[in-house]
Every structure is written in structure tokens, then in C-alpha cells.
């Protein structure tokens, strides 16, 4: 395949053509214009493109290979060396990554992408591409392709008892876009605050604030969000994770569910049900979606990020009829929808039963990791307990009062483990018990065990008191 390299040379320069080419290529690599792994044109093609002899191009490539800028492989041609390859960061995320392979990252937010059903996805992609109609390959409605929405509505009704129709279901670019749309809808309807669970997801609070609403922390206990505290606040909309609260794992009790729905009706407000964790809960242990109790008051939202892969950027939300029109108008003003082919592929994955099989395997894997953490806590962390109702890709540990939470986090870092304390997830600055939140998604068993062993060592560092003076003489 012919490849082109955008370079220019000055034939009137005193510098040789080979030297000019070397400098130009070297500069593009150092500036990041040519990325590691980029394949360059052959020396013959480069010479023809620039109108120079092939020996000039050959000399250029050979010298840059010797300097480590390029690599030459038989059958693969000449590529930009990968030695300088680095992670690409984002201005929206904290730059606290570590480059050491010895560090174990037990922070939350990861997805178990190692479990992604690659072969099933490939087969579904092939089936969709082979059978997609002209209409499906064209621009679809911003809310999503009708075929995909129809399939997803049937699936959500079957596994979560969600009561909605395809015309009230919107496909989104992950949960984040759905939340952004809902914040705008609420703001336009006169809301200036949104209740959030405390503890909860700090990233979502910042996102909500950027969207123009003030996040108001509502306490959570072993039965889920405290509706009495919610009623005492002035908010008329709340974001909650009833199936498995993040990060404590608490399940919203049946009584609280009824109270929450009654609260929404009393204040003429709405509940945003983030159901991202439900896929990790065994069907026999989970209650139907909160939305099934009040489709007119509960906005149901989910995504494929945690159960498949964040790279898909597939999410969905079922809106009450009164909010469907406003949500669609806002969505249409932002973009023209997410990938239709990925929507159809996901729908096909559901249709053939592969998504159900994948979730069963994923739940079994998560359960195995939770058991490993449970055994670890029992044997190695005396005085620490796992919160009730644990499920999902993280474990919430309550620590003894005498254990300094931040000191433990810092000690874990000294033992090459990244982990966060419970206060990281807190909205209010109160005197809550110390805690540790261990994210175990996507980690091989050996890596998880190594990280847990390091936490045990850090725990000993901060809880074992040195002997008192004179104790060695007793």
C-alpha cells in the first residue's frame, strides 16, 4: 500500500537533502506529529514523492533507525519506534497514574474488559453488517435506531421489569451523556439542585455542578438512601443506585423504595435510577428496577460500560412520557446520535442470548473476587468488616475507629498499592467511621492477591503499636 509522508525540502539550502530529511522526520517524531507505531512509506515511495534519489531516502531511514527514532522490520516496513509510547491523558481526569508495573491499582472505576465477549461480538458485527438495510446504514433518529430500542425495551422488561415503550427509550453515548441531558431537562423545568447519595461518586458531583445544578448530599445507610433526610432537603430530584449502592453495596429496601416513590409524587419531582451495578447482582438476589413502581416519576438509566466495555460508549435511559420530548429536543441540538452499527450489534448480542451468557460469567468472576476479598479481610485485617449487601466490582470495608484512614491509604502507597479511603466518596465533612474501598474489577487473581497482601502490610503499619518503654524487661 502506497503511503505518503508530508515533508518538504529546500533545494537551495546548503544542507544536504539527506540531512534535511532526517531533521524533518526527527522533528515530527519529537513533536508528536508522527506517533509511535506509525508506518512510513518505503524508501522507494519516499524518494518518488519528494523527487530525490532512493539513496537519499535509504540514508535517512538508516540513520534514524541507528538513532532509535525508527525501526525497520522485514515484511512490515519502517515504523516510528515505540520506545516513547505513553498513555494519553485527559484534562478532565486527574493525572495521578503511575508508570511502574509493580504498582497494583485497587481504585474504583475500572471495568473488567478482559471478560469482553470478543468472538460473540465479532459474529454479531458480521451479522449486522451483512444484513443492515440502507436505512439502518444511514442517519438514524438521535434517540437511537428503532430496531435496537425495541430489542432493548424487551430485554429490560424481561430482566429488570422496566415498564416503558421504544419511543420513550433513548440510546446515549454512555451514562454520562444521559445524565447531562437530564440535568439540562431539569434545569429548564426550574430545578437548581439534584440530590446525590453520600457516599457516592465524586466525578458525578462535579459533572452535575458543571451542568448547572448544585449536588446536595443525602446520607446512605444499610437500607440505601435515607428518604427522611431527602424529604428534609429542598431538592425535587435525586440520583440514586438502588440495586447496589455505590460504593457501599447497600440495597435499597422495599420500604425505602415505596417511600422514595411517594416522596417524588409529593414534591412533583423525579428519581434518576442509575442501574449500572444491577448486572453484577444475581437475579435471585435483586429486586425489580425501581422504575417499575412508578414509570411516571422514575427515569431509568444504564450502560454497557461496566458490563461490556467503556469503549463502546453505549448507554440508555427510559424517560417518563412528560420528559421524552424535552430530552429528545436537547439531544437533537447536541448531536445526531451514537453509532447505529454498535446499537444493532448490541441488540444482536441480546437476541442470540450471548449477553445473558456473558453476564452470568461476569457475575461468577466478580463473586470469586469478592470471596477472595472476604477471606482476606477475615484472616488479615482484624477489626475490619465488609459492609452488608456487597456486590459489584468494589468492596467497601469499615475499619476500626483507631485506624487512621488517610494514614492507611498513604501506607498502602508506600507498599506500591493505589487505593482510596471512604472519605474520598463523601459529600459531607462529618465524623463518619474510617473505611477503605477496594476496586477489584479486571485484575488477575495473582495481582489482586499481591495488592491485598500489601494492604495487610500497610494495615499492620498503622494499627500495630510499638511496645511501651520497659516492656522488654517484663
Amino acid at each position: 500500500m502506497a503511503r505518503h509522508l508530508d515533508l518538504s525540502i529546500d533545494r537551495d539550502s546548503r544542507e544536504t537533502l539527506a540531512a534535511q530529511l532526517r531533521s524533518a522526520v526527527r522533528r515530527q517524531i519529537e513533536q508528536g506529529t508522527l506517533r509511535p507505531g506509525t508506518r512510513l512509506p518505503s524508501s522507494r515511495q519516499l524518494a518518488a514523492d519528494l523527487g530525490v534519489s532512493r539513496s537519499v531516502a535509504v540514508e535517512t531511514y538508516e540513520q534514524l533507525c541507528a538513532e532509535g527514532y525508527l525501526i525497520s522490520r522485514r515484511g512490515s516496513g519502517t515504523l516510528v519506534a515505540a520506545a516513547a509510547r505513553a498513555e494519553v491523558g485527559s484534562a478532565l481526569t486527574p493525572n495521578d497514574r503511575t508508570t511502574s508495573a509493580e504498582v497494583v491499582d485497587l481504585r474504583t472505576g475500572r471495568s473488567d474488559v478482559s471478560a469482553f465477549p470478543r468472538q460473540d461480538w465479532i459474529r454479531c458485527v458480521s451479522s449486522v453488517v451483512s444484513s443492515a438495510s440502507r436505512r439502518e446504514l444511514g442517519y438514524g433518529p438521535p434517540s437511537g435506531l428503532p430496531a435496537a430500542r425495541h430489542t432493548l425495551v424487551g430485554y429490560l422488561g424481561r430482566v429488570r421489569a422496566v415498564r416503558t415503550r421504544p419511543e420513550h427509550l433513548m440510546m446515549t453515548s454512555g451514562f454520562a451523556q444521559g445524565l447531562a441531558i437530564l440535568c439540562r431537562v431539569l434545569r429548564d423545568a426550574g430545578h437548581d439542585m439534584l440530590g446525590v447519595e453520600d457516599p457516592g461518586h465524586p466525578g458525578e458531583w462535579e459533572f452535575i455542578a458543571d451542568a448547572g445544578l448544585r449536588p446536595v448530599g443525602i446520607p446512605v445507610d444499610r437500607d440505601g438512601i435515607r428518604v427522611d433526610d431527602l424529604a428534609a432537603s429542598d431538592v425535587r430530584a435525586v440520583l440514586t443506585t438502588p440495586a447496589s449502592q455505590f460504593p457501599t453495596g447497600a440495597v435499597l429496601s422495599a420500604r425505602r423504595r415505596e417511600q422514595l416513590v411517594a416522596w417524588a409524587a409529593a414534591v412533583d419531582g423525579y428519581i434518576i435510577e442509575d442501574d449500572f451495578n444491577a448486572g453484577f447482582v444475581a437475579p435471585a438476589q435483586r429486586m425489580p428496577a425501581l422504575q417499575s413502581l412508578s414509570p411516571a416519576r422514575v427515569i431509568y438509566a444504564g450502560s454497557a460500560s461496566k458490563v461490556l466495555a467503556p469503549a463502546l460508549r453505549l448507554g440508555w435511559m427510559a424517560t417518563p412520557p412528560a420528559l421524552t420530548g424535552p430530552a429528545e429536543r436537547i439531544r437533537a441540538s447536541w448531536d445526531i446520535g451514537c453509532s447505529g452499527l454498535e446499537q444493532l450489534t448490541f441488540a444482536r448480542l441480546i437476541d442470540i442470548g450471548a449477553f445473558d451468557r456473558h453476564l452470568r460469567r461476569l457475575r461468577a468472576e466478580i463473586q470469586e473476587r469478592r470471596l477472595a476479598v472476604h477471606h482476606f479481610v477475615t484472616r488479615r485485617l482484624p477489626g475490619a468488616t465488609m459492609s452488608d449487601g456487597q456486590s459489584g466490582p468494589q468492596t467497601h470495608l469499615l475499619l476500626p475507629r483507631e485506624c487512621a484512614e488517610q494514614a492507611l491509604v498513604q501506607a498502602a502507597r508506600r507498599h506500591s498499592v493505589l487505593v482510596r479511603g471512604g472519605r474520598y466518596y463523601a459529600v459531607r465533612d462529618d465524623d463518619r467511621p474510617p473505611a477503605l474501598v477496594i476496586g477489584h474489577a479486571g485484575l488477575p487473581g495473582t495481582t489482586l492477591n499481591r495488592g491485598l497482601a500489601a494492604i495487610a502490610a500497610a494495615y499492620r503499619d498503622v494499627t500495630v503499636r510499638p511496645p511501651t518503654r520497659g516492656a522488654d524487661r517484663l
Side-chain angles (χ1 to χ4, degrees):
M1 179 185 296
R3 300 174 186 275
H4 178 69
L5 186 59
D6 188 14
L7 297 173
S8 60
I9 55 176
D10 182 3
R11 297 184 184 277
D12 295 328
S13 174
R14 294 183 179 181
E15 192 175 25
T16 66
L17 295 179
Q20 289 185 56
L21 288 181
R22 286 197 303 274
S23 297
V25 174
R26 188 186 297 114
R27 183 166 54 252
Q28 289 198 14
I29 294 173
E30 291 174 346
Q31 293 176 346
T33 305
L34 289 175
R35 301 293 299 165
T38 301
R39 184 175 298 180
L40 303 187
S42 66
S43 57
R44 189 184 302 277
Q45 185 65 52
L46 180 64
D49 289 343
L50 298 178
V52 299
S53 68
R54 188 184 176 195
S55 62
V56 171
V58 169
E59 179 184 347
T60 298
Y61 281 175
E62 287 180 347
Q63 181 60 36
L64 290 174
C65 283
E67 295 175 6
Y69 285 93
L70 302 177
I71 55 175
S72 181
R73 295 175 179 168
R74 185 179 298 275
S76 298
T78 303
L79 301 87
V80 177
R85 190 186 301 274
E87 290 291 327
V88 179
S90 167
L92 300 179
T93 55
N95 187 22
D96 56 356
R97 296 186 181 91
T98 178
T99 57
S100 173
E102 297 300 316
V103 172
V104 179
D105 193 346
L106 296 181
R107 294 172 297 184
T108 57
R110 291 173 174 266
S111 298
D112 190 2
V113 294
S114 64
F116 184 76
R118 298 172 187 266
Q119 294 306 314
D120 286 330
W121 188 264
I122 290 171
R123 283 191 288 269
C124 290
V125 168
S126 178
S127 174
V128 165
V129 171
S130 299
S131 60
S133 65
R134 289 187 176 183
R135 176 174 295 181
E136 290 171 333
L137 290 175
Y139 292 109
S143 292
L145 294 181
R149 293 155 72 185
H150 185 275
T151 295
L152 188 53
V153 163
Y155 172 79
L156 293 175
R158 172 170 61 87
V159 302
R160 300 296 293 126
V162 171
R163 296 160 56 193
T164 190
R165 298 175 59 85
E167 57 265 33
H168 298 304
L169 185 80
M170 176 181 291
M171 304 298 294
T172 61
S173 295
F175 173 71
Q177 185 183 49
L179 181 58
I181 292 172
L182 293 175
C183 286
R184 174 68 180 275
V185 169
L186 293 173
R187 198 179 68 193
D188 290 350
H191 294 253
D192 58 2
M193 296 180 290
L194 179 63
V196 296
E197 294 172 331
D198 182 11
H201 197 308
E204 288 183 350
W205 310 333
E206 297 177 7
F207 190 89
I208 291 166
D210 289 343
L213 297 177
R214 180 167 66 89
V216 177
I218 309 297
V220 170
D221 61 22
R222 62 187 303 169
D223 289 324
I225 192 167
R226 292 183 55 91
V227 183
D228 53 347
D229 287 293
L230 178 63
S233 71
D234 292 326
V235 304
R236 292 190 301 111
V238 65
L239 171 62
T240 182
T241 52
S244 176
Q245 200 274 332
F246 177 84
T248 67
V251 177
L252 189 66
S253 67
R255 178 170 175 77
R256 291 271 177 92
R257 288 156 62 93
E258 294 174 356
Q259 292 174 342
L260 186 56
V261 168
W263 164 84
V267 300
D268 190 23
Y270 292 100
I271 303 161
I272 302 173
E273 178 180 13
D274 182 1
D275 206 34
F276 81 101
N277 250 355
F280 300 109
V281 184
Q285 299 173 349
R286 68 188 179 208
M287 287 186 280
L290 181 66
Q291 189 266 3
S292 65
L293 298 180
S294 181
R297 291 295 173 187
V298 182
I299 304 156
Y300 178 87
S303 83
S305 295
K306 293 296 184 289
V307 294
L308 280 174
L312 293 178
R313 304 311 305 142
L314 272 178
W316 46 86
M317 62 179 184
T319 52
L323 300 185
T324 299
E328 287 184 339
R329 285 190 290 272
I330 290 170
R331 175 66 184 277
S333 69
W334 287 1
D335 62 28
I336 56 175
C338 44
S339 168
L341 288 177
E342 289 189 351
Q343 293 178 50
L344 293 173
T345 300
F346 180 54
R348 180 65 177 161
L349 198 72
I350 293 173
D351 282 337
I352 66 175
F355 188 52
D356 288 271
R357 293 193 297 272
H358 166 70
L359 287 181
R360 283 194 291 271
R361 292 192 297 268
L362 189 62
R363 281 194 294 268
E365 177 65 25
I366 290 295
Q367 177 66 11
E368 183 177 327
R369 292 175 187 167
R370 285 189 59 245
L371 286 175
V373 176
H374 174 75
H375 294 322
F376 156 75
V377 172
T378 303
R379 292 182 290 108
R380 307 287 297 277
L381 297 187
T385 57
M386 293 173 62
S387 298
D388 295 335
Q390 286 295 316
S391 60
Q394 77 283 329
T395 297
H396 186 263
L397 299 181
L398 293 175
L399 304 171
R401 277 286 185 179
E402 64 271 16
C403 180
E405 179 183 296
Q406 190 57 31
L408 178 58
V409 171
Q410 293 171 352
R413 183 179 288 269
R414 290 194 295 272
H415 285 276
S416 299
V417 171
L418 302 179
V419 68
R420 289 187 172 119
R423 287 193 174 278
Y424 175 83
Y425 304 91
V427 180
R428 295 164 296 126
D429 186 17
D430 57 9
D431 185 30
R432 64 188 69 201
L436 201 66
V437 182
I438 299 175
H440 45 71
L443 290 174
T446 54
T447 303
L448 176 59
N449 290 336
R450 181 159 56 90
L452 294 177
I455 287 180
Y459 190 72
R460 289 194 299 271
D461 291 347
V462 300
T463 57
V464 176
R465 294 182 176 86
T468 58
R469 182 176 300 177
D472 56 336
R473 297 195 297 270
L474 296 179

